[in-house]
Amino acid sequence: MTSLLTNQLYVRLIKGEDEIMSYIQVLNSFTMEGNKQHLTEKELYLYCHMKREQHLSDDIKTTTSLTADFLLVPFNNKRDRNIKDVKEALVGLQNKSVITVSNQEGEIINDPKGNQSLRITIPKLKGEGFYQLPYLLFDSANDISDLYIHLTVAKWKGSFNCSLDRWASILMCSRNTAIQKVANAIEHKSIYCNVGDYLEQKKRDVNSYKIKPFSKEEKSNMTKKNEIQKATDKIHEGQENLTDYDEWLINETDIFNMYTDEEGTSVFPTYDDYEFYMEVVDNVKDRKPTALESKFLASAKKRIDRLKGNPQFKEEWEKAEELYYTKVNGIEQEVVSHEVKVETVIIQKPQYENLASMF
């Protein structure tokens, strides 16, 4: 479901261009774990499909085979299996009192055959609230899991806070399968995720979800961090035939950009990272830096400027100076203080100041 509903389609709905009711009422209970009307993905999709077909009459005259053949998103690519899945979904919906399946005489059918004539009635259901699923959104769906997850989130005002274990319960599948399905829905932009921040005792808050992007103010620190990492990974994609120096630049850029680890603990560059920074500054003093060098120098300078008043930084910086001058001259040399040296590096490399201003 690459895009459930475009802005143009929303405008059409708001303007009322579809004169007949242009949405499907989906009860909140359909995606509520523990509720007697909690539907499976296939049951929910089939319900929406039949409601879509019902808009001109009180009931639907069809067969199991015909219903299976006209699904916009088949449950299975093999026709026999698809018909079987539709039959199971019909039976499930009837058992949950969501629909009534009968023959032409009005007799209830509990085991519909493939080509048996059916009359399917969808009564007016009562429940605690419902979501209006636009026809245009339903018609554009190409994955029933994405649609189910979208509807699960859409019924909540604001955002929906949900753990992975709860997702497994809602989707009626294993935790690993739920993780994959939710990840796919996020990737397809059927929903948006705000990753929970770390709390005390290294515990993380649950993720929250919306059907529209979270604003900058709403985004958690973890979400912002993940977005930075994804942007970095995108830059790294497709980079082939990198030299060892290029790989070091990429790795060191990541180090200078990392402020906390996965557990939320603060992390800092060490003396060998600062020594590499000194090498790169020296490398570009008489030429224009490459794109990778530019990105690294900007990240490193930003982090160094933030750490200048940190005593641990001063100690690591002095170690880096010793290592750097040993590499350059092959012997140990006495070095000047941290404060003077940092100033000296900046003064001797004016083009680096210009570079930093580009970011």
Side-chain angles (χ1 to χ4, degrees):
M1 193 181 299
T2 54
S3 179
L4 282 173
L5 196 62
T6 65
N7 291 333
Q8 291 87 344
L9 297 183
Y10 269 121
V11 171
R12 284 180 58 190
L13 291 173
I14 292 171
K15 289 183 177 180
E17 294 180 11
D18 296 299
E19 295 183 3
I20 302 172
M21 184 190 298
S22 56
Y23 59 84
I24 301 164
Q25 290 188 355
V26 180
L27 292 185
N28 294 345
S29 57
F30 288 171
T31 56
M32 186 68 69
E33 72 276 30
N35 192 286
K36 65 179 182 179
Q37 290 184 329
H38 183 198
L39 306 184
T40 66
E41 293 175 356
K42 293 176 181 177
E43 290 169 351
L44 180 58
Y45 185 83
L46 184 58
Y47 170 82
C48 292
H49 170 81
M50 291 187 295
K51 287 291 289 185
R52 184 75 169 88
E53 298 297 315
Q54 188 201 21
H55 67 283
L56 293 177
S57 61
D58 293 332
D59 54 26
I60 303 167
K61 297 177 178 64
T62 186
T63 68
T64 304
S65 299
L66 193 62
T67 300
D69 290 340
F70 280 90
L71 286 180
L72 295 176
V73 181
F75 295 157
N76 197 289
N77 291 328
K78 294 183 178 180
R79 187 170 185 270
D80 289 347
R81 180 60 193 178
N82 191 42
I83 293 172
K84 181 181 178 181
D85 287 349
V86 168
K87 173 186 173 180
E88 291 175 353
L90 285 172
V91 173
L93 287 168
Q94 181 159 255
N95 290 339
K96 295 172 183 177
S97 302
V98 176
I99 65 172
T100 299
V101 182
S102 63
N103 58 22
Q104 298 303 315
E105 290 71 38
E107 299 171 335
I108 299 299
I109 298 176
N110 294 314
D111 185 24
K113 308 302 180 184
N115 293 316
Q116 182 179 11
S117 297
L118 305 174
R119 175 177 289 171
I120 298 174
T121 304
I122 307 177
K124 291 184 178 180
L125 301 174
K126 296 181 180 180
E128 295 182 2
F130 60 86
Y131 171 68
Q132 295 180 343
L133 170 63
Y135 285 165
L136 296 170
L137 189 153
F138 176 73
D139 293 345
S140 70
N142 54 33
D143 186 289
I144 65 173
S145 294
D146 280 12
L147 181 64
Y148 191 98
I149 291 170
H150 176 89
L151 292 172
T152 301
V153 175
K155 68 186 180 185
W156 294 89
K157 293 183 178 179
S159 60
F160 172 46
N161 301 325
C162 189
S163 67
L164 294 174
D165 288 334
R166 186 179 180 188
W167 270 122
S169 179
I170 292 171
L171 296 169
M172 291 178 266
C173 62
S174 69
R175 189 175 189 272
N176 288 340
T177 300
I179 290 173
Q180 187 59 56
K181 288 185 176 185
V182 172
N184 289 340
I186 295 170
E187 182 180 353
H188 300 158
K189 300 188 185 303
S190 298
I191 60 170
Y192 296 85
C193 176
N194 197 22
V195 182
D197 279 328
Y198 279 93
L199 307 174
E200 296 180 359
Q201 299 178 346
K202 299 182 179 179
K203 292 184 178 180
R204 253 183 54 190
D205 199 359
V206 297
N207 297 344
S208 55
Y209 303 87
K210 293 174 67 174
I211 59 172
K212 294 183 179 180
F214 287 86
S215 66
K216 183 178 180 181
E217 293 73 24
E218 291 174 320
K219 290 179 180 179
S220 65
N221 292 328
M222 285 298 296
T223 295
K224 293 175 182 177
K225 178 180 176 181
N226 289 346
E227 288 177 347
I228 293 173
Q229 184 60 51
K230 287 179 180 179
T232 302
D233 292 342
K234 188 173 183 180
I235 293 174
H236 296 174
E237 287 179 1
Q239 293 179 335
E240 300 178 355
N241 302 319
L242 294 176
T243 65
D244 290 343
Y245 177 62
D246 290 335
E247 291 179 354
W248 269 108
L249 286 168
I250 293 171
N251 181 63
E252 289 293 330
T253 300
D254 291 342
I255 290 174
F256 277 98
N257 283 334
M258 184 180 294
Y259 289 76
T260 59
D261 59 18
E262 294 181 352
E263 296 182 349
T265 304
S266 297
V267 294
F268 303 93
T270 59
Y271 69 91
D272 51 345
D273 302 314
Y274 297 129
E275 189 276 330
F276 181 75
Y277 162 76
M278 295 175 187
E279 288 186 30
V280 177
V281 169
D282 188 59
N283 287 342
V284 302
K285 64 183 179 181
D286 297 319
R287 62 171 173 81
K288 182 179 179 180
T290 66
L292 289 176
E293 287 172 332
S294 296
K295 187 172 182 62
F296 164 73
L297 289 170
S299 297
K301 183 179 184 299
K302 179 180 178 181
R303 192 69 183 277
I304 289 171
D305 287 345
R306 292 185 62 174
L307 291 172
K308 281 182 181 179
N310 188 310
Q312 181 63 31
F313 166 76
K314 179 178 180 180
E315 181 179 335
E316 294 292 324
W317 182 269
E318 290 176 351
K319 288 182 182 178
E321 288 179 322
E322 293 178 6
L323 178 60
Y324 174 69
Y325 280 101
T326 298
K327 285 185 177 181
V328 171
N329 301 311
I331 57 174
E332 297 280 348
Q333 291 194 9
E334 183 179 356
V335 295
V336 294
S337 68
H338 147 62
E339 291 82 8
V340 174
K341 184 57 185 175
V342 172
E343 283 297 316
T344 301
V345 170
I346 295 175
I347 291 172
Q348 289 180 344
K349 312 295 186 265
Q351 68 270 37
Y352 173 62
E353 286 295 325
N354 295 333
L355 169 68
S357 65
M358 296 169 58
F359 291 81

